[in-house]
């Protein structure tokens, strides 16, 4: 009788406790820290916009795989001819846009030429050349090497996405794409500014379709609200986990934390156009006085950052030994010597946004400079106002920002003369321009080491450290792709 009751109890348990299995037609609820300023990622390539739209709604001709290799996506193949000055791209057949139209070479030509018109870094490589159609292929002929162009097309933070040529006839008054269809596995179903974007699976996607049917990206700026939503089961995934929330989440058996490689850097951009930061000795003083660990800790706490002054994130072909940076480590005595010859008693204006604790870095830097007798003024604004303020060189001396990881040094916007604060070091500019003409990646990497050392001496910016964004997800969500931001194309949700 006892054995019979035990078997009955076991049978009831099997009925009550369901097996862990994939949810058919599952949906994801995601909380992101920032809403994309616009949905036209060619015009405003915010990190949030790229994570939501690029790879989901829009695709590129090439993409970077988990091994860091550049592989075809919408492209079938490509070939460099004429000592690398001609690039010929063949396209995959049968790819359909979300509006049902077939992807053709004319669409790619129109998309890529718009990308070139908006992205000066790409024009450093292509010069005056533009894409055209030849025998169903996409071709570009330049006067210099195009060897680095496929890398930039695959990884640029200003994404070279592909959309129908007809979309260019439906731009907003300020030139933004309106409801342009993509080729990705998802299309935009709903968008409510200030609230969320809902993506739904595209049934005619050209390669294997994801198992997740819908993804809702909720705009939740408060980190505590994101954490509580994940812990309660409201959200399946949250981005930009605050260092304050890591101890709590790491103790939750239903949550998994993800921390990838370096995904960007903090930069203190020095104003080379106006004010005291034009003085190179003052820039040296700030670089030597700044306690880089304290600055990074002010933003990230005890987690998620590394200390080295390379402009490029590690690991990678562009890494340069930061011990070669003569101003890359704290040396207050030497910094005071440079201050004595360069500081004129004026107020140093430190500009920052209040996004993602960047203002805490500004406060820490201000405190360190004040301790050395430098008068400072903090200007802390929301992100949109910060972007506008930094355009005027008369309004700031140092601004603080976070830059996302890029594949090529040419894509560091603060190294271009048109960037806020300017860049006018002739020798470094010439070497940077030379990068674009390199015929191989190895040749370019060797030249970059020389450029990096020159920049460490010129000090257009100070890089106190690099961050590794921390994400958190329910343990029921598996297979997240962190190759380029985060994506759920290969993810599976269990219950």
């Amino acid at each position: 009788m006892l054995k019979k009751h035990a078997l009955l109890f076991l049978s009831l348990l099997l009925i009550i406790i369901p097996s862990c299995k994939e949810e058919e037609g599952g949906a994801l609820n995601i909380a992101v820290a920032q809403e994309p300023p616009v949905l036209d990622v060619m015009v405003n390539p915010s990190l949030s916009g790229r994570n939501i739209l690029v790879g989901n709604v829009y695709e590129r001709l090439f993409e970077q795989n988990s091994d860091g290799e550049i592989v075809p996506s919408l492209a079938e193949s490509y070939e460099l001819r004429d000592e690398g000055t001609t690039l010929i791209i063949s396209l995959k057949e049968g790819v359909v846009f979300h509006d049902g139209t077939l992807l053709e070479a004319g669409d790619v030509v129109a998309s890529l030429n718009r990308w070139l018109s908006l992205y000066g870094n790409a024009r450093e490589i292509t010069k005056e050349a533009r894409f055209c159609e030849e025998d169903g292929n996409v071709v570009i002929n330049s006067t210099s090497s195009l060897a680095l162009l496929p890398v930039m097309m695959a990884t640029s933070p200003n994404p070279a996405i592909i959309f129908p040529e007809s979309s260019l006839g439906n731009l907003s008054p300020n030139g933004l794409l309106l409801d342009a269809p993509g080729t990705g596995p998802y299309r935009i179903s709903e968008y409510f500014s200030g609230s969320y974007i809902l993506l739904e699976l595209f049934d005619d996607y050209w390669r294997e379709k994801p198992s997740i049917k819908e993804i809702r990206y909720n705009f939740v700026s408060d980190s505590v609200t994101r954490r509580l939503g994940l812990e309660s089961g409201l959200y399946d995934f949250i981005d930009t986990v605050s260092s304050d929330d890591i101890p709590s989440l790491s103790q939750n058996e239903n949550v998994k934390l993800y921390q990838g490689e370096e995904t960007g850097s903090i930069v203190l951009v020095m104003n080379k156009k106006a004010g005291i930061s034009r003085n190179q000795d003052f820039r040296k003083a700030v670089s030597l006085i700044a306690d880089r660990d304290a600055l990074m800790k002010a933003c990230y706490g005890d987690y998620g950052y590394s200390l080295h002054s390379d402009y490029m994130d590690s690991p990678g072909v562009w890494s340069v030994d930061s011990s070669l940076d003569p101003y890359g480590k704290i040396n207050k005595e030497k910094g005071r010597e440079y201050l004595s010859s360069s500081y004129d008693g004026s107020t140093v204006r430190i500009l920052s946004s209040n996004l993602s604790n960047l203002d805490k870095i500004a406060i820490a830097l201000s405190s360190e400079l004040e301790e050395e007798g430098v008068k400072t003024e903090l200007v802390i604004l929301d992100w949109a106002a910060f972007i506008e303020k930094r355009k005027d060189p008369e309004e700031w001396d140092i601004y603080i920002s976070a830059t996302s990881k890029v594949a090529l040094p040419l894509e560091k916007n603060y190294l271009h003369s048109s960037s806020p604060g300017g860049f006018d070091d002739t020798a470094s500019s010439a070497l940077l321009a030379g990068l674009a003409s390199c015929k191989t990646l190895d040749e370019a990497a060797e030249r970059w080491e020389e450029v990096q050392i020159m920049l460490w001496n010129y000090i257009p910016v100070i890089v106190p450290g690099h961050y590794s964004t921390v994400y958190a997800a329910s343990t029921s969500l598996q297979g997240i792709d962190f190759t380029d931001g985060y994506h759920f194309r290969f993810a599976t949700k269990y219950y």
Side-chain angles (χ1 to χ4, degrees):
M1 179 66 70
L2 184 61
K3 183 178 180 180
K4 183 177 180 180
H5 283 200
L7 289 172
L8 177 61
F9 179 68
L10 180 59
S11 299
L12 288 172
L13 277 179
L14 291 173
I15 295 172
I16 294 171
I17 304 175
S19 60
C20 183
K21 61 181 181 180
E22 181 179 344
E23 183 176 356
E24 186 68 28
L28 295 185
N29 216 18
I30 311 299
V32 298
Q34 186 182 12
E35 178 179 1
V38 297
L39 299 188
D40 187 344
V41 291
M42 271 194 183
V43 172
N44 191 311
S46 67
L47 181 59
S48 58
R50 298 200 308 271
N51 282 333
I52 294 171
L53 299 172
V54 181
N56 283 332
V57 177
Y58 299 107
E59 296 179 304
R60 317 186 213 208
L61 292 186
F62 309 102
E63 61 190 14
Q64 188 174 35
N65 66 19
S66 57
D67 295 323
E69 301 168 328
I70 304 303
V71 297
S73 177
L74 294 177
E76 180 65 34
S77 62
Y78 74 95
E79 180 183 3
L80 285 164
R81 295 181 184 172
D82 306 324
E83 296 186 337
T85 60
T86 298
L87 175 64
I88 302 172
I89 305 169
S90 62
L91 303 176
K92 281 192 169 64
E93 296 182 355
V95 177
V96 177
F97 286 108
H98 298 155
D99 63 357
T101 59
L102 197 65
L103 170 68
E104 297 180 343
D107 303 308
V108 176
V109 168
S111 299
L112 294 181
N113 283 337
R114 182 177 190 254
W115 177 62
L116 288 179
S117 73
L118 294 169
Y119 194 37
N121 294 344
R123 296 196 302 275
E124 291 283 343
I125 294 177
T126 64
K127 310 304 182 188
E128 300 301 318
R130 295 296 180 265
F131 291 91
C132 63
E133 179 182 354
E134 291 184 9
D135 300 325
N137 294 323
V138 175
V139 179
I140 183 168
N141 298 282
S142 182
T143 56
S144 60
S145 174
L146 299 171
L148 298 182
L149 189 58
V151 180
M152 186 174 284
M153 291 167 66
T155 61
S156 168
N158 288 67
I161 58 169
I162 306 302
F163 50 82
E165 181 179 10
S166 59
S167 296
L168 294 178
N170 184 32
L171 299 178
S172 71
N174 55 352
L176 298 177
L177 289 171
L178 296 175
D179 301 322
T183 60
Y186 296 95
R187 57 184 171 189
I188 298 174
S189 174
E190 298 175 359
Y191 171 45
F192 291 95
S193 181
S195 185
Y196 69 88
I197 290 178
L198 179 65
L199 306 184
E200 65 176 8
L201 190 64
F202 177 49
D203 289 333
D204 293 326
Y205 184 50
W206 60 277
R207 51 184 166 184
E208 184 178 355
K209 288 188 291 186
S211 65
I212 303 298
K213 304 299 183 184
E214 287 186 350
I215 310 176
R216 174 171 166 148
Y217 293 87
N218 303 278
F219 311 133
V220 185
S221 60
D222 182 66
S223 63
V224 174
T225 303
R226 293 197 301 275
R227 174 178 62 82
L228 293 176
L230 178 65
E231 291 177 327
S232 69
L234 175 62
Y235 303 129
D236 300 294
F237 178 94
I238 62 175
D239 75 358
T240 320
V241 175
S242 167
S243 58
D244 295 336
D245 292 330
I246 289 176
S248 171
L249 290 173
S250 63
Q251 298 299 314
N252 190 325
E253 62 181 11
N254 296 316
V255 169
K256 183 174 181 179
L257 290 168
Y258 296 89
Q259 181 171 326
E261 297 176 344
E262 293 176 2
T263 52
S265 56
I266 295 296
V267 289
L268 316 182
V269 179
M270 314 300 287
N271 189 342
K272 284 79 65 185
K273 290 185 177 179
I276 192 169
S277 289
R278 286 182 301 173
N279 188 312
Q280 189 174 1
D281 280 354
F282 179 76
R283 301 200 298 269
K284 293 176 182 178
V286 176
S287 190
L288 290 165
I289 288 169
D291 184 336
R292 295 161 191 254
D293 191 29
L295 296 182
M296 297 299 288
K297 192 181 293 290
C299 184
Y300 296 102
D302 295 322
Y303 306 90
Y305 69 89
S306 54
L307 297 173
H308 63 88
S309 60
D310 295 29
Y311 288 13
M312 298 296 285
D313 302 291
S314 296
V317 67
W318 306 105
S319 295
V320 180
D321 183 359
S322 58
S323 67
L324 300 173
D325 180 358
Y327 310 102
K329 291 185 179 180
I330 188 169
N331 186 335
K332 293 198 174 186
E333 182 177 352
K334 191 174 180 181
R336 290 172 189 134
E337 293 177 9
Y338 283 115
L339 267 186
S340 66
S341 64
S342 64
Y343 180 56
D344 59 7
S346 60
T347 298
V348 177
R349 296 156 300 174
I350 302 174
L351 173 64
S352 175
S353 78
N354 55 10
L355 178 68
S356 301
N357 287 335
L358 292 176
D359 53 328
K360 294 183 179 179
I361 297 178
I363 293 169
L365 178 63
S366 171
S367 177
E368 291 178 3
L369 292 178
E370 291 275 357
E371 287 180 6
E372 300 300 326
V374 178
K375 294 186 291 186
T376 64
E377 176 188 352
L378 287 169
V379 183
I380 310 297
L381 304 170
D382 62 42
W383 180 252
F386 163 78
I387 293 296
E388 285 301 312
K389 177 74 76 171
R390 73 178 184 178
K391 292 178 181 178
D392 186 349
E394 301 296 332
E395 293 292 325
W396 58 276
D397 297 294
I398 303 171
Y399 82 73
I400 297 169
S401 187
T403 64
S404 57
K405 187 173 185 176
V406 295
L408 299 171
L410 290 169
E411 296 177 294
K412 292 290 185 182
N413 288 333
Y414 53 73
L415 296 181
H416 295 270
S417 59
S418 60
S419 65
F423 181 82
D424 58 4
D425 181 59
T426 304
S428 297
S429 294
L431 284 171
L432 276 169
L435 281 177
S437 63
C438 289
K439 295 181 179 180
T440 67
L441 193 59
D442 288 340
E443 180 188 345
E446 289 180 9
R447 184 167 298 188
W448 168 247
E449 181 173 355
E450 186 179 355
V451 178
Q452 176 67 93
I453 292 171
M454 292 190 71
L455 292 171
W456 277 332
N457 283 275
Y458 177 64
I459 317 179
V461 304
I462 298 168
V463 178
H466 300 251
Y467 59 85
S468 303
T469 304
V470 179
Y471 310 103
S474 165
T475 53
S476 64
L477 178 59
Q478 299 178 19
I480 308 167
D481 180 8
F482 293 100
T483 301
D484 181 15
Y486 56 85
H487 296 284
F488 307 100
R489 194 169 70 198
F490 310 110
T492 304
K493 183 177 179 180
Y494 296 88
Y495 69 97

